[in-house]
Every structure is written in structure tokens, then in C-alpha cells.
Amino acid sequence: MNYYCVRLLRIFLVLMMGMSSSMVTHAQAIQLKNRYSSIGIDNKGFITSIKDIRTKKEYHPKGLSSALMSLSNSQGDIIHPIKAVYNPKSKAIVLHFKNGAVANLKAEQKNEYYRFQLLSLTKKEEVDNIIWGPYKTNISKTIGDVIGVVRDDNFAIGLLGLNDNTTGGPPTGGDMSFMYYFIHSPDPVKFPLPPHLKEGQTFTIGGDGHNDVAFYSHPEEYYRMNYGNAARLEPTFGSTICMHSRDRRKEQMIRFPVLPDNMDGKVNSARYQLVLPTDAGFIGSAMALYACPDSLGLNTIEKVVLAEGLPHPEVNGKWVKDPKAYRPDVAWHGSHDSLVNYMNRLGLKSVQDEGWGEYYPDRVNRWANNKVSFKSGGPMTIPDFGALMQKNGISWGLHTLCEFLQPGRNGDVAPVPNDSLAIMQRTVITKALSPTDTVITVADRAYFNEFGGWEGNHTNVLKIGKELIEYNGITETKPYTFLKVKRGFHGTTRGSFASGTTIVKLQPNCYHGFAPDMNLQEVYGDFYGKWLADGGMDYIDFDGLESCIYQGHGEYSFKRFFRRLFESYKKNGGKSLRVMGSAVGEGSWHYMSVCNIGGGDHMFSPVKNKWGIEGKDMRYVFQSSYLPATFGIINLGSEWTMYDAENLQAKSIGWDANYMLGLSQQSVENCGEKEAIFKAYRTWENLRNEVDFSKALKEKLKDLNYKFHLEQTGQQSFVLYPVGETRFDNEPYTSAGKSYQINNEFQSQPLEFSVRVHTPKDVQVNGIKIVLPNGKQILIDHKFSDSEFIILKGNSLYLADRFRKKQKEILSDPSLTLPNGQSKITVAALQEGNERIKLDLLVNTIGKGEKIK
């Protein structure tokens, strides 16, 4: 009897424990909730719901699910969870996987986001990556592929890595994405797809890899440039967002991720690379998942950044990602006599000095014997000039080639190469080498036959010991022997090496130089931080930022470099650093203030008021991931009008865009409207400083049908005037002339126009006849040179040089007006015409002013 009682008691206790466990672990489902959203996770570890708690709208595709965390192995197999057990008291989720691995996760419901972290994993030696996602959503309007956020007009869902080795996107070779076009209409009504295209379809970018501008080849709004893989359009249901963390302590062979994809057979053919280990594993990987109103997306990210101790650089007291911090910079060319004066008059605060061209880092000769030049006096050292800039409240720095280590200008390359140069391949020699030997045989030929270098420069360089060796090809059969060998390359010393000595192929950059590995990269992060602080520089442009890809560790490499840079800068006394670069990715997003790539009419034309193709593509890429759009470098044209300069300011505010204003003393002093431009430009900078821009104001300023004129009437008091332009370019110069229809939508006003002549060198313009709207005929008997103007402004009609500087007044007449509505102006040759001569006619109109509120 006692035996049966004991047995029944044991059974009862087991059942009670099971019931208790079921109550504690919520095995049937996991519900997480914060102030903006709720998330449902089923008992297999798959997200089945992402819901807006205000509207109750579901943002996870119906009938689909998304693994909270998956695993991948060296074969690329994705291993999904099969069971999830949740303990709300300890905020723990235990995931069981089909390969028998068990993961312990911490799951925290923060006020604005959800925090997930991998604490432990069994069988981790069989795992190469852990993958957060991809998480499916039914949002498709805006795909923020750089940082991993998808957005519509109402809601945003995104991820942020909370440690350096949790990076954007799924695992790939080199953990980078490719550049390509994909078809996606942001507004199917406004931008309908033509019948031959479909959502999600992909295309190679333009060009052959040589010309960056040619990458951008499709002006249509539904051609979108892909720049990252942290978010992806999924036409069948919406989109996905994803992050991963790799065990980087394992050596791996990858297909080197040349950014423009599908270039094989052209100059940018991908190559294979042996990626050396670095000390970073996936245990401890953490990410934040946020789902919130789109209007609060950037604000929510900042709260995550501050709460989790992520990089939060500030410039002038504002987070660099805050639109209130958006400001134009200056790209300065030539002697520096007027730099401070111009900056103060324009109200600008940061300068990229283009006087040296591209600066290449050299730890041995860090200033490269360069000095800051002046026409009015002797040169200054970089530290002295940096101190002068800081004294004037100006952030100043140089245009660098990041980690491009160039022969002849870098001590880590030659005459004694550093052992921490990044490599592509490794093998051993099978026969001893003497200093005079040119026949080098090796154990294998794997991938040594591939040419090195981006943009087709065919940089093939070996390193053995402290010697560099150039070669071009390798035999296909044993004994594997390098072809066209040149020993002691770049002035290195020929050595003697025993059979079995390791020989490596170096990773080249696109300028025939080399790159550091992960260890030497940290040395360069330290170098740049001290170099900037010692030079009094608070600004830096990292052109060649792809040098952080050459190590093969993807976005993680960027994070390691930038973290070391900022730590070194602060340690050496630096305070606030403004960073620009040639590209932006998930790994550099936190650190970079701006990405003013490209320039000129390829980006945005303030004169013709038109986006270029590159500008359109970068606008979408950047703004989708909470970055400012860019106009790139826009050089001040000496022939600009005040309205052109104002348009640059107005449109940058309207489109939330940054840019660099290219200036030189020569271009400014040549400018006929210099004084008006300086005054108007400074007024717009005052507006930035004193007024918070409403959404309605931004929408008004975005309108490409108008330019705008701004006047300041008091402290925080501004009046905005719309400016219409009727433009006729490349028109014929004939004796019969041509009549041009002008529509003045504003009130009757003083007539304002310009006529510009374009003539070949050996052809002369012998006068122009103009018939005004009131029928008055003006005969101008003058021999014009190429690009000279006839200008009517302020009741004065005058001749002007190619930079609009007044040369001779023709007449002054206050009765010359432009009526409201339709009228016409006729322009003709005074005598005989000439088909080789062309004319431009520009008529300006200005509307009623409105106070900015």
C-alpha cells in the first residue's frame, strides 16, 4: 500500500511540476509589449505578430513567420529554432534548434524598444553565425537598407546592433552588400511602373566600373539604388530586416565583395580572399528591435543610442543625426587669405581643405611636408593654421584617402613592409630562394591567377619576409611558378628564404597601393585621432572609405576603425569631430555627420533647379536610413545670380539635404553678384539658426518650379518670396529673331531678364535686337565675346562680362515692366544671323512675400 502511495505521489509531483513549468514559461506563446507596439512569438521561436498598439494595425504578413534567431554553419545552411521557452520573471528565452543546439537569450521590454541578447549557445563550435531575422513586415514604401529600417507614412520597424560584432544584413562573403538597381515605385499612382518592369526586379548599375558618375544611369524614380542589405524589399509581402553576428575567430575564404555587382569580365571582377581571424565572437551579440510611429523613428533611435551607450557624436551641441544639426560645409580651393573672412560673412562653420588634393596617411612623415599657403604672406604649419581655425570657431580638416597605404609615401609599405598588411592569399614556397632567384615555385596556385585591384589596375604583389615581389600570373600545372616576377619591388630588399617559407599575396587598393589588416587598422585609427587633435582639426573627409572593406570583415571592420579613431581623438584632447566620407554603411552610420559624395549637376543643379540622377539615387538611399540627402560638392559659379545661391540654400532645407559649397578666392572675387550672394546666403544661415522649419515650409521649399528669395526683417522674423524663372537655352541667333512667351503668374512688376551669348572662338556677335513686352525695341550695337551678358535689373539695362560684372549701361528706364499673365520678348541678331552662335534668355519674376512662421 505504501509503495503505491509513494508512486502516486511521485506522479502527482511530476504533473504539478509540468503544470508549474507551463505557467512560468508560457510555452504556447510569448507576448512582448512597449509604449508603441506589441510582438507575438510562437512556441517554436518565430515572430508571428508586430502590431501598432495605437491603431491595432498588424505589420507582420498574415500567414508568415520570422525566426527570432537562427544559426548558420560553414556550408551556409540556415538552422531554424524548433522550440521556444520563455520565463518572464528572468526575462529569458531558451531556443532549441533542430541540430540540437540550445541558445539562452535575454529578452527585455524597454519603453521604446525590445532588447535581445545571446547569452550562451551549445554546439557553438559548429556554428559560424547567429542571425537576428530576417524579420518579415508588410511595409514596402521606404526600404532603409543601410541601417535596416522599413517605413511607410505611419510606422517604422527597424534594428540596431548594440555591439560592434552585430552588423547589418544576413551573413555573406565579406559581410557586405552590393550596389545594384532594383525596381520599386514609392508611389504607384504618381510613378506607375511601365509594363516591362515589375516590383523587386534587379539590374546592374551603369558604367564599366571606371567612372563613379556612370554608376547612376536611370533617372526614373522607380529605379532605386541598393546600398546595403540590412533591409530588403520583398514584393510578395513587403520587406525584411536582418542583422547577424559572426564568429570572426575562424579563418574563411570569401569572394571579395566588389561593391558594384555583376561586373565580372569587366574591370571590377570579384576575386577570392583569405580572411584572417580576429578576436570577435557571437556570444554576447545584442540588438534592439523598434516598432514605432514613423515620425518618431529617429527620436526612438536616439533613445536607444543613449540608453545602450552607442556612439552619439555631437557637433555644436547637437547629435549629428538630428536634422537641426544639418549644415552646409565649404570645400576650399587655393590660397587661404580670405577663408576666415568668407566663412564669417556666409555664416558657415566647417571646411574641407582641398588645397592638397588627396592626403595619404604616413605614420613616419605625418604632415607630408605640406603647409597652408597664403598669397599675402608666408605659409603656416598645419597645427598653427588649425589653431587659428579653432580660434575663429571654424571646424577645419583635410580630404584624406583613409587607409590607402601608398608606395613611396607610406613607411608601412616600403622600404620595410609591415607584417600587418592585408592579404588575399597565402601559400608556401617549395624551393629555397636566394636574392638573385626569379623562379618562385609554390605549393598551390589557388586564386593566385586572379588579378588584384579595383578599377582594373592589375596590382599583383607578393610579400615574403620583408620583401615585396611583383608578378603577373601563375602556371596552370606543377611546379606552380609565378610569371613575370620582379624581385625587390618598391625598393624593398631581396632576401634569402628557405623552402616552406610562407608567401602571401597582398590586398591592393584601387590606386596601386595597399591596406592594413585588422591589427594595423587599429594603429591607423590611433594615428588619425592623434593627427587630428595635434593638427587642430575638427573635421575630416575619408575618401577611399572602402579601405575598411579590404580586410574582409565587412561592417565590423568599419566599427572597429571608427571606434578607435574617436577614442584616440578624445584621448588626445579632441572635442567634437565632424566626419565626412565617400560612402556610408551600417558600420559607419553612427559616426558620420554627412556623406557629401559626388557633385555638380550629377547631384543637383541650383541654377537649373533640377536633380541629377546620382542625386536622386543618393537621396533615396540616405533619407531611407535617416541620413541627410546630399547635393555633393556644388562649386560656386562666378556667373551665378543671387537667386541661384539662394536656391541652393532653399532646396537643401526643403529636402533635408547637406552639401559642400566649393569656394576659392578667385571664384568669389570674379563673381559679379558677390555682395548680394553673401548677404542673401547669410540670411538663410540665420534662418537655420533661428527658426525650426515646419513640414509645410519644407514642402514649399522643395518645389522645383520655384526658387526663393529670403529677407530678414528682425530677430527670428523672415519674409519668403517665390521666384519664378522662364528659361530658354541654346536658342538660335537669326536676323528674323524668335519670340518667347512669358507667363508672369505674379503681379505686374519691373521687368528683369538676361541674355547670354555663346560663340565659337573665331566667330563674332555683331549686336542684338530685343523687343520688350510693351513693344519697345532696343538695338544693341556691340561686338560680344563668348559668354557675355545683356542684363536688365533694377530699371537698368547694361552689358556685363561672363561673370555678370557690369561693363556699360545702355539705358535706365523705370517704365520697363512685365505685366501679369502672358506677354512676349523677341530676341534677334542686329544684322546677319549665324547658326554657330547660340543665345540663352532668362526672365525672372517674383511673387508676394509671406512671413515664415
Side-chain angles (χ1 to χ4, degrees):
M1 186 71 174
N2 290 338
Y3 168 79
Y4 288 109
C5 288
V6 170
R7 189 175 180 185
L8 287 170
L9 180 60
R10 286 177 178 171
I11 293 172
F12 177 77
L13 289 174
V14 168
L15 290 172
M16 289 299 295
M17 289 175 65
M19 292 174 63
S20 175
S21 174
S22 175
M23 291 173 64
V24 171
T25 59
H26 295 261
Q28 295 303 312
I30 302 170
Q31 290 293 325
L32 305 176
K33 186 177 180 181
N34 64 25
R35 67 184 297 184
Y36 301 132
S37 63
S38 64
I39 293 180
I41 305 173
D42 68 16
N43 60 3
K44 292 183 179 180
F46 284 75
I47 293 177
T48 57
S49 174
I50 304 174
K51 190 174 292 186
D52 181 345
I53 63 171
R54 301 168 309 153
T55 65
K56 310 302 181 185
K57 182 175 180 178
E58 178 61 66
Y59 283 97
H60 195 281
K62 186 177 181 181
L64 300 178
S65 59
S66 309
L68 176 60
M69 191 188 84
S70 297
L71 315 175
S72 74
N73 57 27
S74 58
Q75 290 76 44
D77 301 324
I78 305 299
I79 305 163
H80 295 301
I82 57 174
K83 181 182 177 182
V85 179
Y86 177 50
N87 187 328
K89 187 174 181 181
S90 61
K91 301 177 181 178
I93 296 177
V94 178
L95 291 181
H96 297 261
F97 294 87
K98 61 183 179 182
N99 68 340
V102 178
N104 287 290
L105 276 59
K106 189 171 185 179
E108 299 178 88
Q109 302 169 76
K110 302 292 186 177
N111 199 32
E112 285 89 12
Y113 63 100
Y114 305 95
R115 188 185 196 279
F116 296 94
Q117 184 170 24
L118 174 63
L119 301 180
S120 66
L121 178 68
T122 64
K123 295 192 173 185
K124 60 184 178 182
E125 65 280 353
E126 300 176 12
V127 175
D128 280 15
N129 299 273
I130 63 108
I131 307 168
W132 300 106
Y135 302 135
K136 301 176 180 70
T137 85
N138 54 27
I139 294 174
S140 63
K141 182 172 184 178
T142 304
I143 309 297
D145 54 37
V146 173
I147 62 169
V149 59
V150 293
R151 307 159 58 190
D152 60 18
D153 293 331
N154 301 305
F155 215 59
I157 303 175
L159 301 175
L160 279 183
L162 302 183
N163 63 318
D164 286 352
N165 195 26
T166 303
T167 63
T172 63
D175 289 334
M176 292 293 296
S177 179
F178 295 104
M179 291 172 63
Y180 58 85
Y181 274 119
F182 66 99
I183 300 301
H184 175 50
S185 176
D187 187 334
V189 175
K190 190 175 181 180
F191 305 109
L193 297 186
H196 68 283
L197 296 176
K198 62 181 181 180
E199 282 279 321
Q201 192 173 352
T202 61
F203 293 91
T204 304
I205 62 174
D208 59 5
H210 276 294
N211 186 345
D212 289 359
V213 170
F215 291 172
Y216 310 96
S217 54
H218 287 283
E220 300 89 349
E221 285 289 332
Y222 44 76
Y223 274 91
R224 297 303 198 185
M225 179 68 72
N226 182 80
Y227 221 66
N229 60 357
R232 182 181 176 88
L233 176 70
E234 298 288 351
T236 58
F237 58 81
S239 61
T240 56
I241 53 176
C242 185
M243 303 197 84
H244 80 283
S245 184
R246 180 181 293 276
D247 185 352
R248 301 187 182 279
R249 296 166 298 188
K250 297 180 180 180
E251 194 169 276
Q252 53 173 321
M253 182 69 75
I254 67 167
R255 182 178 180 268
F256 183 76
V258 180
L259 289 179
D261 196 13
N262 298 316
M263 289 286 181
D264 285 343
K266 300 180 182 179
V267 295
N268 281 3
S269 297
R271 294 98 64 204
Y272 284 87
Q273 177 184 359
L274 181 68
V275 179
L276 299 182
T278 191
D279 187 20
F282 49 63
I283 301 300
S285 172
M287 65 86 178
L289 170 62
Y290 59 93
C292 65
D294 185 44
S295 60
L296 298 176
L298 187 61
N299 179 264
T300 299
I301 289 175
E302 184 174 21
K303 289 181 178 179
V304 175
V305 165
L306 293 173
E308 299 291 341
L310 296 175
H312 188 267
E314 297 180 357
V315 173
N316 298 322
K318 292 184 175 65
W319 185 38
V320 297
K321 297 295 181 290
D322 187 340
K324 293 179 182 178
Y326 294 174
R327 290 292 187 278
D329 302 328
V330 163
W332 182 261
H333 301 265
S335 62
H336 296 74
D337 303 69
S338 299
L339 175 56
V340 173
N341 173 265
Y342 290 173
M343 295 294 289
N344 288 337
R345 291 190 64 188
L346 292 167
L348 299 178
K349 296 296 183 182
S350 52
V351 180
Q352 174 175 306
D353 201 319
E354 295 286 336
W356 293 355
E358 299 167 333
Y359 168 84
Y360 294 88
D362 186 355
R363 295 190 295 139
V364 176
N365 183 13
R366 61 180 184 161
W367 305 122
N369 299 319
N370 285 305
K371 293 187 177 181
V372 179
S373 63
F374 295 86
K375 287 184 177 179
S376 58
M380 294 179 69
T381 66
I382 288 175
D384 286 345
F385 189 72
L388 176 65
M389 293 294 98
Q390 289 182 335
K391 182 179 178 180
N392 282 275
I394 299 171
S395 297
W396 173 80
L398 302 182
H399 176 167
T400 74
L401 257 293
C402 198
E403 299 177 325
F404 277 35
L405 312 183
Q406 301 306 107
R409 359 183 21 163
N410 186 284
D412 285 314
V413 174
V416 182
N418 196 297
D419 291 333
S420 282
L421 295 176
I423 73 168
M424 295 199 73
Q425 302 299 336
R426 179 184 60 213
T427 187
V428 297
I429 60 174
T430 57
K431 182 181 178 181
L433 283 180
S434 73
T436 59
D437 288 331
T438 57
V439 177
I440 304 173
T441 60
V442 291
D444 66 83
R445 68 183 302 274
Y447 307 120
F448 281 97
N449 63 312
E450 296 180 328
F451 70 79
W454 197 15
E455 298 184 357
N457 62 40
H458 292 251
T459 304
N460 292 313
V461 178
L462 305 167
K463 178 179 177 295
I464 183 168
K466 295 295 184 181
E467 181 185 355
L468 300 182
I469 302 170
E470 186 183 43
Y471 79 103
N472 191 3
I474 190 170
T475 59
E476 295 184 4
T477 59
K478 289 186 177 181
Y480 300 126
T481 306
F482 290 115
L483 304 175
K484 298 183 180 179
V485 167
K486 293 181 181 179
R487 299 284 303 272
F489 196 50
H490 292 314
T492 58
T493 301
R494 297 186 179 198
S496 296
F497 307 99
S499 177
T501 302
T502 297
I503 188 169
V504 298
K505 179 180 181 180
L506 295 181
Q507 170 70 277
N509 62 49
C510 61
Y511 290 169
H512 302 280
F514 306 99
D517 68 8
M518 293 295 287
N519 297 317
L520 186 57
Q521 178 175 265
E522 298 215 323
V523 174
Y524 274 91
D526 286 337
F527 163 79
Y528 268 121
K530 182 171 174 54
W531 178 79
L532 287 163
D534 290 351
M537 292 182 276
D538 308 306
Y539 180 105
I540 189 167
D541 171 20
F542 285 122
D543 199 352
L545 197 52
E546 71 268 18
S547 53
C548 290
I549 302 174
Y550 292 136
Q551 299 76 20
H553 286 284
E555 301 292 354
Y556 173 69
S557 181
F558 288 87
K559 293 182 182 182
R560 281 268 294 264
F561 172 72
F562 276 106
R563 181 177 294 278
R564 200 61 173 257
L565 164 70
F566 272 72
E567 288 174 352
S568 173
Y569 182 68
K570 183 177 180 180
K571 175 183 175 182
N572 286 284
K575 295 179 181 178
S576 177
L577 181 60
R578 185 170 177 83
V579 177
M580 216 287 281
S582 58
V584 62
E586 186 267 335
S588 58
W589 184 89
H590 288 286
Y591 297 94
M592 289 179 60
S593 298
V594 290
C595 188
N596 290 326
I597 59 173
D601 289 352
H602 302 295
M603 298 300 295
F604 179 79
S605 171
V607 176
K608 295 187 177 180
N609 212 7
K610 181 181 179 182
W611 282 96
I613 301 174
E614 184 178 4
K616 180 269 292 185
D617 288 341
M618 291 299 94
R619 182 185 73 218
Y620 177 79
V621 165
F622 291 166
Q623 291 188 330
S624 298
S625 289
Y626 299 113
L627 281 163
T630 181
F631 297 157
I633 299 179
I634 304 294
N635 292 317
L636 171 72
S638 297
E639 75 283 1
W640 276 12
T641 68
M642 176 186 71
Y643 296 142
D644 296 333
E646 288 196 89
N647 192 45
L648 185 59
Q649 288 281 61
K651 291 302 183 287
S652 70
I653 292 171
W655 289 95
D656 274 335
N658 274 324
Y659 65 91
M660 284 190 284
L661 180 64
L663 293 179
S664 69
Q665 190 164 317
Q666 181 180 13
S667 66
V668 171
E669 296 308 320
N670 279 341
C671 185
E673 297 201 17
K674 167 192 167 184
E675 295 303 323
I677 287 174
F678 269 47
K679 180 181 178 181
Y681 196 99
R682 179 57 183 262
T683 301
W684 284 94
E685 284 304 297
N686 292 344
L687 180 73
R688 292 182 194 268
N689 294 330
E690 298 176 21
V691 174
D692 290 335
F693 307 132
S694 66
K695 185 176 181 180
L697 175 61
K698 288 184 178 182
E699 286 299 315
K700 180 187 289 287
L701 296 177
K702 283 170 68 173
D703 192 339
L704 296 176
N705 293 309
Y706 299 97
K707 295 181 179 180
F708 294 91
H709 172 61
L710 185 70
E711 292 184 359
Q712 186 164 9
T713 55
Q715 185 72 20
Q716 296 183 328
S717 178
F718 298 86
V719 178
L720 184 70
Y721 299 85
V723 176
E725 285 190 343
T726 305
R727 183 185 296 272
F728 303 92
D729 292 332
N730 205 35
E731 295 294 319
Y733 176 77
T734 64
S735 57
K738 183 176 179 180
S739 294
Y740 300 95
Q741 295 297 317
I742 311 299
N743 178 36
N744 176 19
E745 64 180 286
F746 306 123
Q747 68 277 12
S748 177
Q749 57 190 276
L751 179 61
E752 184 176 310
F753 71 83
S754 67
V755 175
R756 193 177 198 184
V757 301
H758 298 285
T759 177
K761 196 171 185 179
D762 60 340
V763 177
Q764 202 167 43
V765 178
N766 295 314
I768 291 177
K769 178 171 64 175
I770 301 174
V771 181
L772 300 180
N774 64 0
K776 183 170 184 176
Q777 184 172 272
I778 300 175
L779 307 179
I780 304 170
D781 188 5
H782 177 78
K783 297 186 185 302
F784 290 90
S785 298
D786 182 45
S787 298
E788 288 186 329
F789 286 92
I790 303 167
I791 297 176
L792 175 60
K793 188 175 183 180
N795 301 321
S796 174
L797 183 69
Y798 57 90
L799 303 178
D801 69 9
R802 62 184 300 132
F803 302 129
R804 294 182 178 272
K805 287 184 177 179
K806 188 173 184 178
Q807 302 296 303
K808 177 184 177 182
E809 186 167 81
I810 299 172
L811 63 86
S812 178
D813 186 349
S815 68
L816 300 180
T817 61
L818 182 68
N820 170 259
Q822 296 287 333
S823 59
K824 66 180 181 180
I825 295 177
T826 302
V827 183
L830 185 60
Q831 299 173 23
E832 293 182 359
N834 190 320
E835 64 180 13
R836 298 177 65 190
I837 296 172
K838 301 298 178 183
L839 303 174
D840 297 339
L841 171 65
L842 172 65
V843 180
N844 292 313
T845 56
I846 188 164
K848 184 179 179 181
E850 296 181 11
K851 288 186 177 180
I852 292 179
K853 299 177 182 179

